[in-house]
Amino acid sequence: MNSISLNADLAAVSRLVVEGAMLVYTFAFLTFAYHLSQLASTKKSVRAGATKLERAGIILLAIAAAIHGVGVVLRGISASRVPWANMYEFSITGSFIVVTIFLFALTIKDIRLIATFVAGFNLLILGTADTVFYVNVKSLMPALQSYWLVIHVMVAVLATAFFNIAAALSIAYIFKTAKWVKASKLKLVDLMRRILALFPTEDKLERLSYRFNIIGFILWTFTLIAGAIWAERAWHRYWGWDTKEVWTFIIWTIYAGYLHANATRGWNGKRSAWLAIVGFVAILFNFTVVNLFFKGLHVYSGLK
Amino acid sequence: MPTSQQSNEVSAKDAVVSPAIGLRGWLRWIWRQLTSMRTALILLLLLAAAAVPGSVFPQRSADPNGVTAYFDANPVLAPILDKVQLFDVYTSAWFSAIYILLFTSLIGCVLPRTAAHARALRLPPVPTPKNLKRMPAYKSVTLNTKKSQDALLAEAQALLKKQGYRVAREGEGSVGSVSAERGYLRETGNLVFHLALMGVLLAVGIGGGLSYSGQRVLVEGESFVNNLAGYDSFSPGTFFNESQLVPFSVRLDKFEVDFYRDKTLKNQANAGTPTDFRAYVTTTLGASGKSTNGRIRVNEPLSMPNANIYLTGNGYAPSITIRDSGGQIVYSGTTSFLPQDPNYTSLGVIKVTDVPKQYGIISFFYPTVGTLSTGALTSIYPDAALPLLSMNVYEGDLGINGGQPKNVFALDIKNMKQIAGGKSGVKGLRLQLGETVKLPKNLGTVTFDGLKRFASLDVDYNPGGVWVLVFALLALAGLTTSLLVPRRRVWIRKTETGFEVAALARGDDPVLEKVVSELVSQLSPNKTRVTKVAKTAIAKKQKEADE
Ligand code: HEM
């Protein structure tokens, strides 16, 4: 009667593997952070030794990503389906995609300097997933048994990963252009200033952020459309202003605003960078607060 | 776009200094403001903000019970919120105002741009600027070997044409040049995108007006006919006409559920999770009388003419017979019980009216009964492994004679007296499948005859849906084109000693400099010396240069 088989033992192994990846992410994060502090040093000899640290950090990050990937795949095998059907699974898969895109993007664009952010962000996400969102493998509720789960959610997670990297670049931009950073005489800010000086120019940061955001936006538009097609199948209407639909729409509209801002004088630069950050905050809000505390049809955090 | 803003400012000043500009001037000014890019941007952000409260407060359209509950919990605040339409955000005056303004702005913006773009498509590329050095990407080349101007420019022209540029040759004499532009598709995509959004809005509006949605609960063995009387509830769109309902009937033959069983017993949390719901139906088309067997699952609605039938809920429907003290049947039927928790602890109501003194029963059904530590009954598994009915009986006015239709799932016990269960002094009734027990006060007996399942079906039709999809996909295609196709101008000019190449991006262009270097190497014979490299310093803001 029931062909789905869940393997709780394998799920436990997968969890251990993901925790192992977290350990390596921690080392990678510490290495990058140390690297930045070395780079910001006023001594030339210290700065010269920093490049090796950075290379070590990237190797660590790649190892962490590989272990992480194994954990994700094992989770999928243990549940006999795609590993993105509840919040724990979205988190481990999503953060894996973030690091994969980052590592891939490294080979075409020089965005090494946000490595600290990427490693730290993944550590944070995995930590939350492991401690707050963790659930044992579960069978899919009937509404989720659809190939749209594979397409719609996969693309949403991909879009989020692009928006994530763009937001990191926009945060760097905001700091780099901030008046208080430029003017302050505090020691700590001085250190920060020296680190920021190593980042790509303001223009470059702005443009890079824009490029990640447009890919994110195209994918998000597709997510929205695919979600509506799925809703028509599963919930008998393609759009019903369910809380999750509302937030998908809000996020889409914010990023549409961002794209307009980039073409409007007086709105590009800082304002559009803020919009990119606000958009990403809305995504995080949608994923956490809306999933856990708002009422709606999309109840699949898997948490009671 | 920014140029139009400049002119806005100018006309605003004009309006202030010369009142003679009058009403028409003002209207023009307002129209210009409305169709400016900044207004579109602000309206978009406003729309995003205005959508937020709809996810905070329950909405009548998505969650009517939530609204009722909110009114009960906040009797003072709720009517105030209702006044400002916070329970109907997406049809509210303020939300509508924002998107109507936005779309007005969109038309006002896109139509002139479409016309301008159509003109631009027919014009040759712009003339080569005097000073190419000022362009964001620039290289100058000194040729060792002499190459005639004609040969060079002809070669450049052919090369650019092959790469999809629109090309024009200018100037004779010693300083002829080639001016080229590509990526008109970028603007076309942008216009298609914005116009398709218009299409989405229209399709949503018109489709919604022609749509309908009807709900019907069917117990196994029951059937219903697709007409207004056949539905438990029905919500038509504004332009709905009853003739849209094609006569057909649907019978629910059987309803099946699969629950997950954990063979290893290691993952108890998942035990009893439903993994599949299947409604087997027979449909009969009125006109032909032809019957067809069909199956409805979640995610797999059944298509009928002008209707899709969806499975939206299910539960148990115990068959119950009640006899009076003389053995006469006073109630017999299968009642749908509403599930209250994931293990299908379900609540049902029975109203007995064909007796001298009316009474009602509030009953709980437990498919697999268990006992909580408090002693209360509960269901511990969703399948019917150990079914039990418990009943509390109330005597008094059922409110049925008042003429007001009453909710079949609720019993209003305000004017009734409890005679079994609770604090009535008489124990509540408990029946296993097949059992008969006595009602209190010599009212007779009640029998739990059998157990069936029911399915909640939703019959929906929205002819706009497919058009919404078509326009949405068109928008997606337009968007992708508009964001990813680079639009740029390229110029190649013959100089005394060689030639120079310059390029200007219109919009974002990640490969502008690469394009220039490639052109240089493609147009240079092997041993050429490149004297000046691209001056990225000037590429400060591509967009600014673009103006
Ligand atoms: C429903 C409202 C609107 C939405 C959702 C929307 C969305 C978008 C999006 C996503 C883009 C970027 C993609 C592309 O370039 O095709 C865009 C670009 C653009 N929109 Fe809109 N738009 C809206 C209304 C308007 C209005 C009212 C105007 C005119 C004032 C406008 C003018 C433009 C222009 C000029 C661009 C190109 C910007 C550039 O050069 O990068 N849009 N819009």
Side-chain angles (χ1 to χ4, degrees), chain B residues 422-464:
Chain B
K423 295 190 183 109
S424 65
V426 180
K427 262 192 148 175
L429 280 49
R430 291 185 179 182
L431 302 90
Q432 287 180 350
L433 190 58
E435 255 186 330
T436 300
V437 302
K438 271 206 168 115
L439 285 161
K441 286 190 149 183
N442 204 21
L443 285 171
T445 60
V446 50
T447 309
F448 181 7
D449 293 313
L451 187 59
K452 289 183 173 174
R453 291 184 193 267
F454 74 83
S456 311
L457 299 179
D458 232 273
V459 181
D460 285 73
Y461 179 58
N462 185 343

mmCIF file of all heavy atoms in Angstrom, chain B residues 422-464:
data_model
loop_
_atom_site.group_PDB
_atom_site.id
_atom_site.type_symbol
_atom_site.label_atom_id
_atom_site.label_comp_id
_atom_site.label_asym_id
_atom_site.label_seq_id
_atom_site.Cartn_x
_atom_site.Cartn_y
_atom_site.Cartn_z
ATOM 1 N N GLY B 422 -21.163 15.677 30.543
ATOM 2 C CA GLY B 422 -20.804 16.910 31.235
ATOM 3 C C GLY B 422 -21.275 16.891 32.673
ATOM 4 O O GLY B 422 -21.116 15.896 33.389
ATOM 5 N N LYS B 423 -21.926 18.038 33.092
ATOM 6 C CA LYS B 423 -22.358 18.143 34.496
ATOM 7 C C LYS B 423 -23.825 17.752 34.665
ATOM 8 O O LYS B 423 -24.452 18.100 35.659
ATOM 9 C CB LYS B 423 -22.152 19.580 34.981
ATOM 10 C CG LYS B 423 -20.668 19.956 35.019
ATOM 11 C CD LYS B 423 -20.474 21.282 35.736
ATOM 12 C CE LYS B 423 -18.999 21.686 35.710
ATOM 13 N NZ LYS B 423 -18.747 22.827 34.811
ATOM 14 N N SER B 424 -24.389 17.065 33.693
ATOM 15 C CA SER B 424 -25.825 16.774 33.759
ATOM 16 C C SER B 424 -26.163 15.698 34.784
ATOM 17 O O SER B 424 -27.324 15.493 35.115
ATOM 18 C CB SER B 424 -26.312 16.309 32.374
ATOM 19 O OG SER B 424 -25.678 15.079 32.053
ATOM 20 N N GLY B 425 -25.149 15.003 35.271
ATOM 21 C CA GLY B 425 -25.452 13.945 36.242
ATOM 22 C C GLY B 425 -25.627 12.592 35.579
ATOM 23 O O GLY B 425 -25.516 11.556 36.229
ATOM 24 N N VAL B 426 -25.852 12.624 34.275
ATOM 25 C CA VAL B 426 -25.972 11.354 33.541
ATOM 26 C C VAL B 426 -24.708 11.202 32.703
ATOM 27 O O VAL B 426 -24.248 12.169 32.100
ATOM 28 C CB VAL B 426 -27.204 11.378 32.608
ATOM 29 C CG1 VAL B 426 -27.336 10.065 31.853
ATOM 30 C CG2 VAL B 426 -28.450 11.682 33.398
ATOM 31 N N LYS B 427 -24.130 10.033 32.675
ATOM 32 C CA LYS B 427 -22.910 9.822 31.898
ATOM 33 C C LYS B 427 -23.162 9.991 30.406
ATOM 34 O O LYS B 427 -24.244 9.652 29.924
ATOM 35 C CB LYS B 427 -22.396 8.392 32.144
ATOM 36 C CG LYS B 427 -21.296 8.335 33.191
ATOM 37 C CD LYS B 427 -20.665 6.979 33.146
ATOM 38 C CE LYS B 427 -19.210 6.993 33.492
ATOM 39 N NZ LYS B 427 -18.664 5.651 33.553
ATOM 40 N N GLY B 428 -22.150 10.529 29.695
ATOM 41 C CA GLY B 428 -22.281 10.614 28.261
ATOM 42 C C GLY B 428 -22.341 9.218 27.649
ATOM 43 O O GLY B 428 -21.913 8.236 28.247
ATOM 44 N N LEU B 429 -22.896 9.154 26.403
ATOM 45 C CA LEU B 429 -23.043 7.841 25.766
ATOM 46 C C LEU B 429 -21.736 7.456 25.063
ATOM 47 O O LEU B 429 -21.023 8.314 24.560
ATOM 48 C CB LEU B 429 -24.157 7.906 24.723
ATOM 49 C CG LEU B 429 -25.602 7.810 25.196
ATOM 50 C CD1 LEU B 429 -25.893 8.737 26.351
ATOM 51 C CD2 LEU B 429 -26.542 8.089 24.030
ATOM 52 N N ARG B 430 -21.444 6.162 25.041
ATOM 53 C CA ARG B 430 -20.295 5.670 24.271
ATOM 54 C C ARG B 430 -20.714 4.460 23.457
ATOM 55 O O ARG B 430 -21.290 3.530 24.001
ATOM 56 C CB ARG B 430 -19.152 5.285 25.204
ATOM 57 C CG ARG B 430 -18.540 6.519 25.858
ATOM 58 C CD ARG B 430 -17.338 6.171 26.671
ATOM 59 N NE ARG B 430 -16.786 7.393 27.240
ATOM 60 C CZ ARG B 430 -15.704 7.455 27.986
ATOM 61 N NH1 ARG B 430 -15.038 6.346 28.264
ATOM 62 N NH2 ARG B 430 -15.273 8.592 28.455
ATOM 63 N N LEU B 431 -20.418 4.493 22.148
ATOM 64 C CA LEU B 431 -20.834 3.387 21.293
ATOM 65 C C LEU B 431 -19.678 2.905 20.429
ATOM 66 O O LEU B 431 -19.021 3.702 19.780
ATOM 67 C CB LEU B 431 -21.939 3.819 20.323
ATOM 68 C CG LEU B 431 -23.233 4.379 20.803
ATOM 69 C CD1 LEU B 431 -23.131 5.875 20.915
ATOM 70 C CD2 LEU B 431 -24.326 4.004 19.822
ATOM 71 N N GLN B 432 -19.476 1.587 20.433
ATOM 72 C CA GLN B 432 -18.563 1.026 19.460
ATOM 73 C C GLN B 432 -19.356 0.684 18.202
ATOM 74 O O GLN B 432 -20.583 0.684 18.222
ATOM 75 C CB GLN B 432 -17.898 -0.225 20.038
ATOM 76 C CG GLN B 432 -16.887 0.149 21.098
ATOM 77 C CD GLN B 432 -16.207 -1.053 21.698
ATOM 78 O OE1 GLN B 432 -16.609 -2.176 21.451
ATOM 79 N NE2 GLN B 432 -15.196 -0.800 22.512
ATOM 80 N N LEU B 433 -18.642 0.400 17.147
ATOM 81 C CA LEU B 433 -19.308 0.095 15.882
ATOM 82 C C LEU B 433 -20.254 -1.086 16.064
ATOM 83 O O LEU B 433 -19.877 -2.118 16.621
ATOM 84 C CB LEU B 433 -18.248 -0.222 14.824
ATOM 85 C CG LEU B 433 -18.747 -0.321 13.385
ATOM 86 C CD1 LEU B 433 -19.429 0.956 12.940
ATOM 87 C CD2 LEU B 433 -17.593 -0.646 12.455
ATOM 88 N N GLY B 434 -21.540 -0.934 15.651
ATOM 89 C CA GLY B 434 -22.519 -2.007 15.769
ATOM 90 C C GLY B 434 -23.308 -1.977 17.063
ATOM 91 O O GLY B 434 -24.323 -2.658 17.192
ATOM 92 N N GLU B 435 -22.860 -1.177 18.015
ATOM 93 C CA GLU B 435 -23.521 -1.171 19.328
ATOM 94 C C GLU B 435 -24.792 -0.326 19.333
ATOM 95 O O GLU B 435 -24.926 0.642 18.584
ATOM 96 C CB GLU B 435 -22.563 -0.598 20.374
ATOM 97 C CG GLU B 435 -21.955 -1.632 21.274
ATOM 98 C CD GLU B 435 -21.133 -1.012 22.394
ATOM 99 O OE1 GLU B 435 -20.560 0.089 22.215
ATOM 100 O OE2 GLU B 435 -21.068 -1.642 23.444
ATOM 101 N N THR B 436 -25.705 -0.671 20.238
ATOM 102 C CA THR B 436 -26.886 0.131 20.487
ATOM 103 C C THR B 436 -26.901 0.478 21.966
ATOM 104 O O THR B 436 -26.660 -0.398 22.798
ATOM 105 C CB THR B 436 -28.159 -0.672 20.160
ATOM 106 O OG1 THR B 436 -28.118 -1.036 18.784
ATOM 107 C CG2 THR B 436 -29.412 0.138 20.426
ATOM 108 N N VAL B 437 -27.122 1.740 22.319
ATOM 109 C CA VAL B 437 -27.226 2.087 23.745
ATOM 110 C C VAL B 437 -28.484 2.911 23.971
ATOM 111 O O VAL B 437 -29.068 3.462 23.044
ATOM 112 C CB VAL B 437 -25.989 2.863 24.254
ATOM 113 C CG1 VAL B 437 -24.717 2.068 24.054
ATOM 114 C CG2 VAL B 437 -25.911 4.220 23.587
ATOM 115 N N LYS B 438 -28.862 2.989 25.244
ATOM 116 C CA LYS B 438 -30.093 3.702 25.602
ATOM 117 C C LYS B 438 -29.847 5.195 25.752
ATOM 118 O O LYS B 438 -28.824 5.613 26.282
ATOM 119 C CB LYS B 438 -30.592 3.166 26.953
ATOM 120 C CG LYS B 438 -31.510 1.982 26.853
ATOM 121 C CD LYS B 438 -32.420 1.957 28.088
ATOM 122 C CE LYS B 438 -33.541 0.989 27.911
ATOM 123 N NZ LYS B 438 -33.457 -0.128 28.873
ATOM 124 N N LEU B 439 -30.794 5.997 25.273
ATOM 125 C CA LEU B 439 -30.733 7.436 25.496
ATOM 126 C C LEU B 439 -31.304 7.731 26.873
ATOM 127 O O LEU B 439 -32.128 6.963 27.391
ATOM 128 C CB LEU B 439 -31.555 8.162 24.423
ATOM 129 C CG LEU B 439 -30.911 8.236 23.047
ATOM 130 C CD1 LEU B 439 -31.953 8.543 21.983
ATOM 131 C CD2 LEU B 439 -29.819 9.293 23.043
ATOM 132 N N PRO B 440 -30.927 8.857 27.521
ATOM 133 C CA PRO B 440 -31.464 9.158 28.854
ATOM 134 C C PRO B 440 -32.935 9.561 28.771
ATOM 135 O O PRO B 440 -33.470 9.781 27.668
ATOM 136 C CB PRO B 440 -30.593 10.334 29.310
ATOM 137 C CG PRO B 440 -30.135 10.967 28.054
ATOM 138 C CD PRO B 440 -29.973 9.850 27.065
ATOM 139 N N LYS B 441 -33.563 9.657 29.898
ATOM 140 C CA LYS B 441 -34.954 10.130 30.027
ATOM 141 C C LYS B 441 -35.918 9.312 29.175
ATOM 142 O O LYS B 441 -36.902 9.859 28.642
ATOM 143 C CB LYS B 441 -35.044 11.596 29.625
ATOM 144 C CG LYS B 441 -34.461 12.534 30.679
ATOM 145 C CD LYS B 441 -34.822 13.940 30.309
ATOM 146 C CE LYS B 441 -34.994 14.821 31.524
ATOM 147 N NZ LYS B 441 -35.411 16.156 31.174
ATOM 148 N N ASN B 442 -35.553 8.045 28.995
ATOM 149 C CA ASN B 442 -36.436 7.154 28.234
ATOM 150 C C ASN B 442 -36.742 7.654 26.822
ATOM 151 O O ASN B 442 -37.843 7.488 26.308
ATOM 152 C CB ASN B 442 -37.748 6.952 29.021
ATOM 153 C CG ASN B 442 -38.408 5.650 28.618
ATOM 154 O OD1 ASN B 442 -37.741 4.742 28.091
ATOM 155 N ND2 ASN B 442 -39.706 5.545 28.826
ATOM 156 N N LEU B 443 -35.765 8.327 26.220
ATOM 157 C CA LEU B 443 -35.990 8.863 24.871
ATOM 158 C C LEU B 443 -35.902 7.790 23.801
ATOM 159 O O LEU B 443 -36.289 8.023 22.667
ATOM 160 C CB LEU B 443 -34.960 9.965 24.566
ATOM 161 C CG LEU B 443 -35.189 11.302 25.260
ATOM 162 C CD1 LEU B 443 -34.000 12.234 25.070
ATOM 163 C CD2 LEU B 443 -36.456 11.971 24.734
ATOM 164 N N GLY B 444 -35.336 6.638 24.153
ATOM 165 C CA GLY B 444 -35.205 5.577 23.161
ATOM 166 C C GLY B 444 -33.779 5.073 23.093
ATOM 167 O O GLY B 444 -33.037 5.109 24.077
ATOM 168 N N THR B 445 -33.368 4.631 21.888
ATOM 169 C CA THR B 445 -32.029 4.059 21.747
ATOM 170 C C THR B 445 -31.328 4.676 20.547
ATOM 171 O O THR B 445 -31.964 5.218 19.636
ATOM 172 C CB THR B 445 -32.102 2.544 21.490
ATOM 173 O OG1 THR B 445 -32.840 2.330 20.288
ATOM 174 C CG2 THR B 445 -32.731 1.800 22.663
ATOM 175 N N VAL B 446 -29.993 4.584 20.567
ATOM 176 C CA VAL B 446 -29.210 5.038 19.427
ATOM 177 C C VAL B 446 -28.257 3.910 19.022
ATOM 178 O O VAL B 446 -27.686 3.236 19.867
ATOM 179 C CB VAL B 446 -28.479 6.366 19.740
ATOM 180 C CG1 VAL B 446 -27.727 6.291 21.044
ATOM 181 C CG2 VAL B 446 -27.520 6.741 18.617
ATOM 182 N N THR B 447 -28.134 3.723 17.686
ATOM 183 C CA THR B 447 -27.302 2.635 17.169
ATOM 184 C C THR B 447 -26.230 3.197 16.241
ATOM 185 O O THR B 447 -26.510 4.064 15.404
ATOM 186 C CB THR B 447 -28.171 1.651 16.359
ATOM 187 O OG1 THR B 447 -29.291 1.281 17.143
ATOM 188 C CG2 THR B 447 -27.382 0.409 15.985
ATOM 189 N N PHE B 448 -25.016 2.718 16.419
ATOM 190 C CA PHE B 448 -23.900 3.072 15.538
ATOM 191 C C PHE B 448 -23.810 1.964 14.485
ATOM 192 O O PHE B 448 -23.177 0.957 14.683
ATOM 193 C CB PHE B 448 -22.627 3.170 16.399
ATOM 194 C CG PHE B 448 -21.364 3.559 15.653
ATOM 195 C CD1 PHE B 448 -21.364 3.949 14.316
ATOM 196 C CD2 PHE B 448 -20.137 3.524 16.325
ATOM 197 C CE1 PHE B 448 -20.193 4.293 13.668
ATOM 198 C CE2 PHE B 448 -18.949 3.865 15.676
ATOM 199 C CZ PHE B 448 -18.985 4.255 14.346
ATOM 200 N N ASP B 449 -24.493 2.209 13.334
ATOM 201 C CA ASP B 449 -24.692 1.150 12.337
ATOM 202 C C ASP B 449 -23.476 0.887 11.463
ATOM 203 O O ASP B 449 -23.215 -0.240 11.066
ATOM 204 C CB ASP B 449 -25.827 1.547 11.392
ATOM 205 C CG ASP B 449 -27.143 1.576 12.104
ATOM 206 O OD1 ASP B 449 -27.426 0.611 12.830
ATOM 207 O OD2 ASP B 449 -27.874 2.570 11.931
ATOM 208 N N GLY B 450 -22.807 1.936 11.081
ATOM 209 C CA GLY B 450 -21.749 1.719 10.094
ATOM 210 C C GLY B 450 -20.878 2.946 9.984
ATOM 211 O O GLY B 450 -21.128 3.971 10.620
ATOM 212 N N LEU B 451 -19.827 2.817 9.172
ATOM 213 C CA LEU B 451 -18.880 3.912 9.063
ATOM 214 C C LEU B 451 -18.508 4.120 7.599
ATOM 215 O O LEU B 451 -18.141 3.186 6.900
ATOM 216 C CB LEU B 451 -17.627 3.575 9.879
ATOM 217 C CG LEU B 451 -16.591 4.667 10.017
ATOM 218 C CD1 LEU B 451 -17.183 5.900 10.684
ATOM 219 C CD2 LEU B 451 -15.388 4.163 10.806
ATOM 220 N N LYS B 452 -18.652 5.358 7.143
ATOM 221 C CA LYS B 452 -18.234 5.695 5.791
ATOM 222 C C LYS B 452 -17.284 6.876 5.856
ATOM 223 O O LYS B 452 -17.082 7.443 6.914
ATOM 224 C CB LYS B 452 -19.465 6.068 4.956
ATOM 225 C CG LYS B 452 -20.344 4.884 4.632
ATOM 226 C CD LYS B 452 -21.477 5.309 3.755
ATOM 227 C CE LYS B 452 -22.254 4.076 3.295
ATOM 228 N NZ LYS B 452 -23.454 4.479 2.544
ATOM 229 N N ARG B 453 -16.715 7.234 4.708
ATOM 230 C CA ARG B 453 -15.899 8.442 4.658
ATOM 231 C C ARG B 453 -16.612 9.462 3.781
ATOM 232 O O ARG B 453 -17.429 9.116 2.942
ATOM 233 C CB ARG B 453 -14.534 8.135 4.048
ATOM 234 C CG ARG B 453 -13.645 7.268 4.922
ATOM 235 C CD ARG B 453 -12.284 7.131 4.251
ATOM 236 N NE ARG B 453 -11.480 6.098 4.859
ATOM 237 C CZ ARG B 453 -10.600 6.322 5.829
ATOM 238 N NH1 ARG B 453 -10.452 7.542 6.312
ATOM 239 N NH2 ARG B 453 -9.884 5.340 6.316
ATOM 240 N N PHE B 454 -16.265 10.716 4.021
ATOM 241 C CA PHE B 454 -16.788 11.743 3.114
ATOM 242 C C PHE B 454 -15.621 12.480 2.466
ATOM 243 O O PHE B 454 -14.489 12.449 2.968
ATOM 244 C CB PHE B 454 -17.702 12.724 3.853
ATOM 245 C CG PHE B 454 -16.999 13.700 4.751
ATOM 246 C CD1 PHE B 454 -16.440 14.866 4.242
ATOM 247 C CD2 PHE B 454 -16.909 13.466 6.120
ATOM 248 C CE1 PHE B 454 -15.779 15.769 5.071
ATOM 249 C CE2 PHE B 454 -16.253 14.367 6.957
ATOM 250 C CZ PHE B 454 -15.690 15.522 6.428
ATOM 251 N N ALA B 455 -15.905 13.123 1.355
ATOM 252 C CA ALA B 455 -14.899 13.957 0.688
ATOM 253 C C ALA B 455 -15.480 15.347 0.496
ATOM 254 O O ALA B 455 -16.658 15.488 0.157
ATOM 255 C CB ALA B 455 -14.538 13.364 -0.672
ATOM 256 N N SER B 456 -14.683 16.380 0.760
ATOM 257 C CA SER B 456 -15.109 17.743 0.426
ATOM 258 C C SER B 456 -14.588 18.037 -0.964
ATOM 259 O O SER B 456 -13.392 17.950 -1.214
ATOM 260 C CB SER B 456 -14.516 18.772 1.384
ATOM 261 O OG SER B 456 -14.714 18.378 2.694
ATOM 262 N N LEU B 457 -15.513 18.379 -1.845
ATOM 263 C CA LEU B 457 -15.110 18.674 -3.224
ATOM 264 C C LEU B 457 -15.294 20.158 -3.501
ATOM 265 O O LEU B 457 -16.211 20.800 -2.988
ATOM 266 C CB LEU B 457 -15.945 17.852 -4.204
ATOM 267 C CG LEU B 457 -15.814 16.330 -4.072
ATOM 268 C CD1 LEU B 457 -16.710 15.644 -5.091
ATOM 269 C CD2 LEU B 457 -14.364 15.889 -4.248
ATOM 270 N N ASP B 458 -14.392 20.692 -4.293
ATOM 271 C CA ASP B 458 -14.470 22.071 -4.724
ATOM 272 C C ASP B 458 -14.602 22.055 -6.227
ATOM 273 O O ASP B 458 -13.762 21.460 -6.909
ATOM 274 C CB ASP B 458 -13.161 22.764 -4.354
ATOM 275 C CG ASP B 458 -13.389 24.021 -3.582
ATOM 276 O OD1 ASP B 458 -13.573 25.077 -4.215
ATOM 277 O OD2 ASP B 458 -13.389 23.928 -2.343
ATOM 278 N N VAL B 459 -15.627 22.690 -6.738
ATOM 279 C CA VAL B 459 -15.767 22.759 -8.184
ATOM 280 C C VAL B 459 -15.463 24.188 -8.604
ATOM 281 O O VAL B 459 -16.113 25.127 -8.144
ATOM 282 C CB VAL B 459 -17.186 22.346 -8.628
ATOM 283 C CG1 VAL B 459 -17.295 22.391 -10.150
ATOM 284 C CG2 VAL B 459 -17.502 20.964 -8.104
ATOM 285 N N ASP B 460 -14.445 24.350 -9.412
ATOM 286 C CA ASP B 460 -13.992 25.686 -9.757
ATOM 287 C C ASP B 460 -13.866 25.841 -11.258
ATOM 288 O O ASP B 460 -13.543 24.901 -11.967
ATOM 289 C CB ASP B 460 -12.597 25.954 -9.166
ATOM 290 C CG ASP B 460 -12.662 26.214 -7.692
ATOM 291 O OD1 ASP B 460 -12.886 25.246 -6.957
ATOM 292 O OD2 ASP B 460 -12.505 27.372 -7.280
ATOM 293 N N TYR B 461 -14.073 27.071 -11.689
ATOM 294 C CA TYR B 461 -13.853 27.364 -13.095
ATOM 295 C C TYR B 461 -13.362 28.790 -13.208
ATOM 296 O O TYR B 461 -13.952 29.709 -12.633
ATOM 297 C CB TYR B 461 -15.149 27.180 -13.876
ATOM 298 C CG TYR B 461 -15.001 27.494 -15.348
ATOM 299 C CD1 TYR B 461 -14.065 26.816 -16.117
ATOM 300 C CD2 TYR B 461 -15.788 28.466 -15.954
ATOM 301 C CE1 TYR B 461 -13.916 27.109 -17.457
ATOM 302 C CE2 TYR B 461 -15.653 28.756 -17.297
ATOM 303 C CZ TYR B 461 -14.710 28.070 -18.043
ATOM 304 O OH TYR B 461 -14.562 28.354 -19.372
ATOM 305 N N ASN B 462 -12.263 28.984 -13.885
ATOM 306 C CA ASN B 462 -11.750 30.334 -14.122
ATOM 307 C C ASN B 462 -11.153 30.392 -15.524
ATOM 308 O O ASN B 462 -10.031 29.985 -15.751
ATOM 309 C CB ASN B 462 -10.700 30.700 -13.079
ATOM 310 C CG ASN B 462 -10.240 32.139 -13.225
ATOM 311 O OD1 ASN B 462 -10.448 32.766 -14.258
ATOM 312 N ND2 ASN B 462 -9.620 32.659 -12.177
ATOM 313 N N PRO B 463 -11.951 30.901 -16.488
ATOM 314 C CA PRO B 463 -11.480 30.922 -17.874
ATOM 315 C C PRO B 463 -10.295 31.860 -18.059
ATOM 316 O O PRO B 463 -9.594 31.791 -19.072
ATOM 317 C CB PRO B 463 -12.689 31.414 -18.659
ATOM 318 C CG PRO B 463 -13.510 32.167 -17.669
ATOM 319 C CD PRO B 463 -13.279 31.517 -16.337
ATOM 320 N N GLY B 464 -10.035 32.749 -17.075
ATOM 321 C CA GLY B 464 -8.920 33.694 -17.216
ATOM 322 C C GLY B 464 -7.576 33.051 -16.939
ATOM 323 O O GLY B 464 -6.542 33.552 -17.371
#
